[in-house]
Amino acid sequence: MTNSSQMPKEEGLDHSLTLLREGYMYLANRRKSFASNIFETRLLGQKAICLGGEEASKLFYDNDKFMRNGAAPKRLQKTLFGEGGVQTLDEEEHRNRKTMFMSIMTPSHLEHLKSLTHKYWDLKGSEWEQKEQINLYDESRELLCQLACEWAGVPLNESELKKRTEQLTKLFESASALGPEHWMGRHARKELEDWVGEMVEQVRNKELSPREGSALYNFSIHRDIDGKLLDKEIVAVEVLNIIRPIVAISVYITFTGLAVHQYPENKSRLLKNEEQFQQMFVQEVRRFYPFFPMAVARVKKDFIWNNFQFEKGTLTLLDLYGTNHDPNLWDNPEVFNPERFEGWDESPFSFIPQGGGDFNMGHRCAGEWVTIEVMKVSLQYLSNKLDYEIPNQDLSYSMVSIPSLPHSKFIMANVRSKPQ
Ligand code: HEM
């Protein structure tokens, strides 16, 4: 007999549809109504434990207690992640693969990324001067597709830019979709994996020579824990695990545009062009706006935490959005306030828009520094380097669609470069 307590429990056969209906707020709503950072429910036809808050997030990222193999639903692997990717690995195999990812995140590679971000913003900025108005989400997806391919060492012809941008977008836009949109996502993944897979063969045959240190180069020569090269299909999945999420930064760039527009009280500090404030501003964009609602894992072995029993194999969800808005961790969490990051304690478990814990040992997002650097450069253009008007449009955003975006996708009119 164990002395464990009964977890607050949501009654009912299955709540998958409620989760789709309530979107980003599903976990936070129940944590609030149960007044508990842990509760039990049923999702995808099985028992699930839901966690939120700093202590629970520390637990969730304990590799001795949770594993990822068999956690992510197949439909996400068929669209968003790809099969056999780093997200589904555990232990030694995960550490080996994660080292491969982190090998391209060096200070000099990040400097290169920053200079490419400037280059493509300058190019886009000049193009936009020729147009009456532009749509920031659509334009930044193209900008990021070029940037991502160049940084990753993947050759991209101008003529295929639109097609590849659309295919990469389908991977993250179709991830939570049902029906035809989901199937379009699967089709796009197949085409993209074939495209990159062929390049991996060319690199290995020395017909293609991407820059040393680029994702295509490093991943094509990477060796697994048995000393073997990865299958070319797996390399393609992992190179896409770099390119796809860089294109997805377009969601954050669009929200950055919205924040610059809707919170003009930050204008004078942004105009000073100080890196420290830019950093705080993009951190607040990542905390405040919805993007990834949750992370998933499975209990690795039976254990008791805070008197609650966890049984091996149980599906477990961590509330990312709700933890970033947790009133026990953030003062006035529903207020957009970059200055809250002044003197922030940098806990890896309370601010978790891209997962928490350690980069190398755990599943925290490999691209968090990439995201922050690209957003900071983009913020400079949106707040300092470009003049533009914001015509009337629907700037509201849904708390249910994943990923969420302002409904108009942020239209900017009469864009002009500011004399510097
Ligand atoms: C666009 C904004 C982004 C968001 C909101 C985001 C969010 C996330 C989240 C929530 C996770 C899962 C954490 C977990 O399972 O515990 C993750 C993992 C990951 N992300 Fe990102 N990410 C973003 C950008 C990027 C970028 C730019 C890259 C690559 C350049 C990237 C590469 C990865 C990889 C490889 C993983 C898997 C890590 C692992 O399983 O060890 N992400 N991301």
Side-chain angles (χ1 to χ4, degrees), residues 61 68 86-87 94 98 101 105 241-242 245-246 248-249 252 291-292 295 320 353-355 362-367 370-371:
Y61 284 102
R68 299 305 177 100
V86 62
Q87 294 91 342
H94 175 258
K98 195 64 178 280
F101 274 93
M105 306 297 172
N241 259 331
I242 294 294
I246 293 182
I249 301 173
Y252 274 152
F291 200 158
F292 259 63
L320 302 181
Q354 297 180 223
H363 285 271
R364 188 184 186 121
C365 174
V370 167
T371 308

Side-chain angles (χ1 to χ4, degrees), residues 118-262:
H118 277 285
K119 169 176 132 181
Y120 285 111
W121 264 98
D122 284 337
L123 281 171
K124 275 288 180 199
S126 323
E127 260 179 49
W128 297 346
E129 293 201 18
Q130 315 305 317
K131 299 181 178 173
E132 263 173 42
Q133 57 178 46
I134 61 107
N135 172 315
L136 182 60
Y137 177 62
D138 291 344
E139 292 288 329
S140 57
R141 285 186 297 122
E142 267 186 29
L143 181 164
L144 292 163
C145 182
Q146 284 178 297
L147 157 68
C149 288
E150 185 167 346
W151 191 62
V154 168
L156 178 75
N157 293 329
E158 185 71 37
S159 61
E160 55 179 353
L161 172 61
K162 286 207 185 309
K163 172 173 141 194
R164 298 301 176 197
T165 305
E166 289 313 318
Q167 288 175 334
L168 288 157
T169 306
K170 282 202 176 83
L171 302 187
F172 58 87
E173 284 194 345
S174 70
S176 67
L178 304 169
E181 215 188 318
H182 171 76
W183 287 98
M184 285 197 287
R186 283 183 178 225
H187 181 67
R189 170 157 288 285
K190 164 94 183 63
E191 298 217 320
L192 288 165
E193 285 182 10
D194 288 349
W195 175 55
V196 180
E198 221 167 278
M199 285 178 209
V200 176
E201 263 182 3
Q202 291 171 344
V203 174
R204 288 177 173 170
N205 297 337
K206 310 236 178 295
E207 291 161 26
L208 184 65
S209 310
R211 198 185 67 259
E212 276 185 35
S214 63
L216 182 59
Y217 181 87
N218 279 22
F219 297 5
S220 296
I221 61 164
H222 179 79
R223 296 199 176 255
D224 67 12
I225 50 176
D226 299 320
K228 292 200 193 109
L229 290 175
L230 302 174
D231 288 345
K232 72 167 190 199
E233 291 79 13
I234 299 288
V235 179
V237 164
E238 301 298 37
V239 171
L240 290 170
N241 259 331
I242 294 294
I243 299 174
R244 179 206 73 247
I246 293 182
V247 175
I249 301 173
S250 51
V251 172
Y252 274 152
I253 291 181
T254 309
F255 278 128
T256 303
L258 183 66
V260 169
H261 173 64
Q262 288 192 324

Side-chain angles (χ1 to χ4, degrees), residues 143-408:
L143 181 164
L144 292 163
C145 182
Q146 284 178 297
L147 157 68
C149 288
E150 185 167 346
W151 191 62
V154 168
L156 178 75
N157 293 329
E158 185 71 37
S159 61
E160 55 179 353
L161 172 61
K162 286 207 185 309
K163 172 173 141 194
R164 298 301 176 197
T165 305
E166 289 313 318
Q167 288 175 334
L168 288 157
T169 306
K170 282 202 176 83
L171 302 187
F172 58 87
E173 284 194 345
S174 70
S176 67
L178 304 169
E181 215 188 318
H182 171 76
W183 287 98
M184 285 197 287
R186 283 183 178 225
H187 181 67
R189 170 157 288 285
K190 164 94 183 63
E191 298 217 320
L192 288 165
E193 285 182 10
D194 288 349
W195 175 55
V196 180
E198 221 167 278
M199 285 178 209
V200 176
E201 263 182 3
Q202 291 171 344
V203 174
R204 288 177 173 170
N205 297 337
K206 310 236 178 295
E207 291 161 26
L208 184 65
S209 310
R211 198 185 67 259
E212 276 185 35
S214 63
L216 182 59
Y217 181 87
N218 279 22
F219 297 5
S220 296
I221 61 164
H222 179 79
R223 296 199 176 255
D224 67 12
I225 50 176
D226 299 320
K228 292 200 193 109
L229 290 175
L230 302 174
D231 288 345
K232 72 167 190 199
E233 291 79 13
I234 299 288
V235 179
V237 164
E238 301 298 37
V239 171
L240 290 170
N241 259 331
I242 294 294
I243 299 174
R244 179 206 73 247
I246 293 182
V247 175
I249 301 173
S250 51
V251 172
Y252 274 152
I253 291 181
T254 309
F255 278 128
T256 303
L258 183 66
V260 169
H261 173 64
Q262 288 192 324
Y263 303 106
E265 61 275 20
N266 296 298
K267 221 167 219 160
S268 58
R269 279 201 79 177
L270 284 173
L271 280 172
K272 289 189 188 147
N273 210 13
E274 294 163 352
E275 178 154 8
Q276 195 203 355
F277 189 67
Q278 287 162 355
Q279 172 92 11
M280 296 192 309
F281 194 94
V282 305
Q283 297 294 55
E284 183 65 345
V285 169
R286 295 193 310 130
R287 185 197 70 82
F288 186 76
Y289 293 102
F291 200 158
F292 259 63
M294 61 196 67
V296 289
R298 280 195 190 274
V299 178
K300 194 170 181 178
K301 58 180 183 202
D302 291 359
F303 68 90
I304 291 179
W305 177 77
N306 282 356
N307 245 8
F308 297 118
Q309 171 80 44
F310 286 69
E311 277 170 21
K312 183 176 173 181
T314 310
L315 183 68
T316 306
L317 279 66
L318 175 68
D319 184 5
L320 302 181
Y321 177 81
T323 302
N324 294 333
H325 287 253
D326 189 329
N328 296 314
L329 300 173
W330 306 97
D331 285 338
N332 298 319
E334 302 315 324
V335 172
F336 184 90
N337 173 21
E339 273 151 14
R340 68 171 75 248
F341 282 96
E342 210 144 43
W344 169 56
D345 69 359
E346 310 230 352
S347 157
F349 299 108
S350 60
F351 176 49
I352 51 172
Q354 297 180 223
D358 184 70
F359 290 102
N360 297 297
M361 303 303 285
H363 285 271
R364 188 184 186 121
C365 174
E368 201 160 355
W369 303 324
V370 167
T371 308
I372 293 171
E373 291 311 325
V374 169
M375 285 177 73
K376 277 195 304 202
V377 174
S378 304
L379 173 63
Q380 287 169 23
Y381 283 80
L382 290 166
S383 61
N384 271 338
K385 295 196 167 200
L386 299 175
D387 262 331
Y388 51 90
E389 290 150 28
I390 303 300
N392 273 342
Q393 57 191 292
D394 182 1
L395 292 173
S396 67
Y397 56 92
S398 156
M399 288 303 288
V400 175
S401 314
I402 300 172
S404 180
L405 275 172
H407 288 116
S408 63

